[in-house]
Amino acid sequence: MSRERLYLFDTTLRDGAQTNGVDFTLADKLAIAQMLDELGIDYVEGGYPGANPTDTELFGAGRKLHTIFTAFGMTRRPGRSASNDPGLAALLEAKADAICFVAKAWDYHVRVALETTEEENLASIRDSVRAAKAKGREVLLDCEHFFDGYKANPKYALACAKAAYDEGARWVVLCDTNGGTLPHEIETIVGEVCKAIPGDHVGIHAHNDTEHAVANSLAAVRAGARQIQGTLNGLGERCGNANLVSIIPTLKLKPEFSAAFDIGVTDAALKKLAQVSHALDERLNRGSNRHAPYVGESAFATKAGIHASAIMKDPATYEHVAPSSVGNKRKVLVSEQAGKSNILAELDRIGIKADKDDPRIGRLLEIVKERETAGYAYEAADASFEMLARRTLGTVPNYFDVTQFDVNVEQRNNAKGERVTVTLAVVKVKVGSDNMISAAEGNGPVNALDRALRKDLGQYQKYIDGLKLTDYRVRILNSGTEAVTRVLIESEDESGERWTTIGVSPNIIDASFQALMDSIVYKLVKSKAPA
Ligand SMILES: [Zn+2]
């Protein structure tokens, strides 16, 4: 049986840009469009030309993309002709392959919000679709509030969709604008629509206000819709849009969908999905959701001892799909509850060969437990665990020694008479027989220490040039009588690999120093730097 084509439409750059705290620059938009293109998304909605300078500039120049680059905008205003509507004219001038119009499909909204007649709204849809087609564009119509409108007046909601389809729109997209519709309702209503409009011309645009946007999208496909609109990481106003990062692997890896449909995302591109998801967060300067399905750091993490030993025998026992299929990794957490089997499983994963009867494994388990009691949390710091394991097993070379460091924070008036706080760190390092001294200023003690430490590592400098810190988290723990500080540092290298290291001390500088050192040594081990 041949598979049907199912199309993906990404609106991260338009609907996703409505997210509180998200403000894409032109460079962001271009980079994200490129990433979506490489992923194999059929349609990328770039924005709303004419609505803001960024989007107007974005659509001012042509793009070399495989994807159908789409401009979003309103149908012509009521009471005007298509040729006499400046908003529509700007949209038709936009350098886009397709135009996605939005129109009201709920009679109540037509009367109250648009203050026009039902017939005039239908005429506006027809005229706008016709005008865009005449300009040689592929046309889509987003039917706003379609499901609420359908519940109130099915005949009118359908008439709006049908008006666009009859006029030659390639897609009629049913929007759950308020996001309150449930999967079984979506399935029923989309099924009804597909009796009037062929499903391969029907799309679904779901919002996540009941946490069903992904389920609603799949329900629509079951009922016949053949285009799914969504965003990367479910970005979008309020609770977000349907999350394409969850939808794509479900379509690719779950037999109900993979046997029935082809999508534009190849198996090879799917393996980059976790990277794409993290790259978006990186661009938004926010931490990734550790518990995100498929791509989160914890999506394939196991803690309990019996699960870990079963996973070592056959990963399928506790995994619904192979982590590598979406570019993720299996992770066996090392924690206070850790047994020898967790430790062995984790060593196996990171590629350290160990014999289960080796007394050093028992010793490592003891050290982990002691340190976790003191405030370390190795399940959040995989790279520090690896360093601890390698040191206990005696496989970490002594690349360099920090013989002394000094951090000075000074508040004073600068030459302009402004009050400034200046931080200076000085680090003495011994590499082989060379003694080196580096000094650096920073915007705070940890930043200055990091800069000084990574300024000159002699023969090892070339291995750490691409290293950068991407996140720094501090927590004060109250264990027993005294407070200690736990520092977690996330680092990234030139290959895009990330790792987390940890430090614990009553002194925040000391805790940070431990985490920084682990990160640098981890990078040297990973790069196979010669000892
Ligand atoms: Zn929306």
Side-chain angles (χ1 to χ4, degrees):
M1 213 180 80
S2 71
R3 289 191 291 258
E4 260 188 273
R5 185 68 160 84
L6 189 62
Y7 294 84
L8 298 174
F9 182 109
D10 180 280
T11 181
T12 304
L13 302 179
R14 201 273 301 170
D15 227 358
Q18 302 301 315
T19 314
N20 199 352
V22 168
D23 192 12
F24 293 126
T25 63
L26 184 63
D28 288 334
K29 286 205 163 194
L30 292 172
I32 293 167
Q34 184 68 41
M35 198 162 75
L36 290 163
D37 194 41
E38 283 164 17
L39 185 58
I41 302 296
D42 302 291
Y43 294 81
V44 171
E45 192 169 50
Y48 189 169
N52 61 67
T54 304
D55 287 1
T56 303
E57 197 179 341
L58 178 67
F59 285 98
R63 310 258 82 87
K64 278 202 189 76
L65 298 171
H66 305 282
T67 189
I68 300 173
F69 198 59
T70 306
F72 173 88
M74 309 270 274
T75 49
R76 73 152 172 83
R77 274 189 266 166
R80 291 211 180 199
S81 68
S83 56
N84 189 26
D85 182 326
L88 181 60
L91 190 55
L92 296 176
E93 286 314 307
K95 299 232 174 7
D97 308 308
I99 293 177
C100 183
F101 288 110
V102 59
K104 303 214 179 288
W106 186 356
D107 59 349
Y108 165 74
H109 271 261
V110 171
R111 288 193 306 272
V112 174
L114 217 52
E115 296 181 351
T116 188
T117 63
E118 293 179 14
E119 186 40 50
E120 173 60 7
N121 185 50
L122 292 174
S124 155
I125 292 173
R126 284 192 293 264
D127 292 349
S128 307
V129 172
R130 196 181 312 126
K133 285 204 56 116
K135 277 275 184 183
R137 303 289 195 279
E138 180 174 334
V139 184
L140 301 90
L141 182 81
D142 274 1
C143 296
E144 200 186 40
H145 296 294
F146 183 84
F147 294 93
D148 296 308
Y150 190 92
K151 287 183 201 170
N153 183 346
K155 230 176 114 208
Y156 187 69
L158 199 54
C160 295
K162 196 80 171 36
Y165 173 68
D166 289 343
E167 204 58 54
R170 170 66 183 90
W171 293 101
V172 174
V173 183
L174 313 179
C175 302
D176 185 25
T177 309
N178 292 352
T181 313
L182 299 174
H184 62 279
E185 300 175 303
I186 296 273
E187 195 158 344
T188 305
I189 296 173
V190 173
E192 288 303 315
V193 173
C194 290
K195 288 177 189 164
I197 299 171
D200 58 359
H201 291 269
V202 173
I204 179 74
H205 177 110
H207 278 264
N208 203 31
D209 299 71
T210 65
E211 189 121 33
H212 284 105
V214 169
N216 283 349
S217 305
L218 299 176
V221 170
R222 284 168 53 95
R226 294 295 176 258
Q227 186 197 91
I228 299 177
Q229 298 202 344
T231 59
L232 288 178
N233 297 348
L235 215 62
E237 65 183 326
R238 306 189 312 273
C239 316
N241 285 56
N243 185 357
L244 288 179
V245 174
S246 296
I247 290 172
I248 290 168
T250 297
L251 295 176
K252 293 281 293 176
L253 301 173
K254 298 294 169 181
E256 176 184 347
F257 295 101
S258 62
F261 302 108
D262 275 326
I263 61 172
V265 180
T266 62
D267 294 350
L270 186 65
K271 287 189 165 52
K272 299 262 170 78
L273 191 67
Q275 200 186 314
V276 166
S277 169
H278 299 154
L280 181 76
D281 289 323
E282 172 75 7
R283 203 156 261 286
L284 295 172
N285 199 19
R286 66 180 197 180
S288 293
N289 176 7
R290 194 170 274 278
H291 301 285
Y294 294 106
V295 298
E297 214 182 309
S298 298
F300 298 96
T302 303
K303 193 166 187 170
I306 48 162
H307 290 194
S309 60
I311 275 197
M312 275 190 78
K313 287 176 196 143
D314 179 6
T317 48
Y318 286 94
E319 288 170 358
H320 72 118
V321 297
S324 60
S325 61
V326 291
N328 207 343
K329 280 189 210 154
R330 175 173 309 129
K331 191 168 170 187
V332 179
L333 302 176
V334 181
S335 76
E336 273 187 87
Q337 295 147 37
K340 242 188 191 176
S341 58
N342 286 56
I343 296 263
L344 286 164
E346 184 60 7
L347 292 177
D348 183 58
R349 187 189 72 76
I350 59 188
I352 300 177
K353 290 206 190 332
D355 178 353
K356 70 176 166 41
D357 300 318
D358 186 335
R360 290 176 303 181
I361 300 298
R363 176 77 194 120
L364 176 59
L365 182 59
E366 261 172 53
I367 298 173
V368 167
K369 287 185 171 175
E370 270 167 30
R371 290 192 157 216
E372 294 210 328
T373 307
Y376 287 80
Y378 285 106
E379 63 182 73
D382 47 358
S384 280
F385 171 74
E386 183 172 337
M387 287 304 97
L388 182 65
R390 288 189 186 277
R391 285 189 185 110
T392 309
L393 298 172
T395 61
V396 179
N398 188 27
Y399 298 109
F400 63 94
D401 286 309
V402 175
T403 52
Q404 194 182 329
F405 73 78
D406 181 339
V407 180
N408 182 41
V409 182
E410 185 182 54
Q411 197 179 72
R412 56 175 160 78
N413 290 329
N414 67 9
K416 293 181 195 160
E418 298 157 339
R419 201 78 185 145
V420 290
T421 303
V422 182
T423 309
L424 178 72
V426 179
V427 175
K428 288 184 188 167
V429 187
K430 191 164 192 277
V431 184
S433 55
D434 298 338
N435 284 297
M436 255 109 53
I437 178 160
S438 302
E441 284 191 354
N443 56 22
V446 176
N447 181 241
L449 183 61
D450 173 42
R451 284 185 176 180
L453 199 52
R454 292 195 286 132
K455 202 169 188 176
D456 188 5
L457 270 190
Q459 63 183 106
Y460 297 120
Q461 190 58 30
K462 62 174 182 279
Y463 297 100
I464 62 165
D465 275 340
L467 180 69
K468 61 175 181 172
L469 304 193
T470 51
D471 198 12
Y472 174 79
R473 298 193 295 277
V474 178
R475 231 182 116 182
I476 309 297
L477 307 169
N478 277 305
S479 64
T481 52
E482 59 173 342
V484 294
T485 306
R486 173 197 289 167
V487 166
L488 284 167
I489 286 177
E490 189 186 75
S491 311
E492 188 182 279
D493 69 4
E494 61 284 355
S495 72
E497 187 187 328
R498 289 170 179 223
W499 59 89
T500 304
T501 52
I502 191 168
V504 173
S505 165
N507 182 312
I508 187 171
I509 305 289
D510 186 43
S512 305
F513 176 73
Q514 292 172 24
L516 287 171
M517 285 292 285
D518 262 6
S519 179
I520 293 170
V521 176
Y522 176 84
K523 171 65 176 148
L524 293 175
V525 169
K526 181 171 117 67
S527 306
K528 301 194 165 56

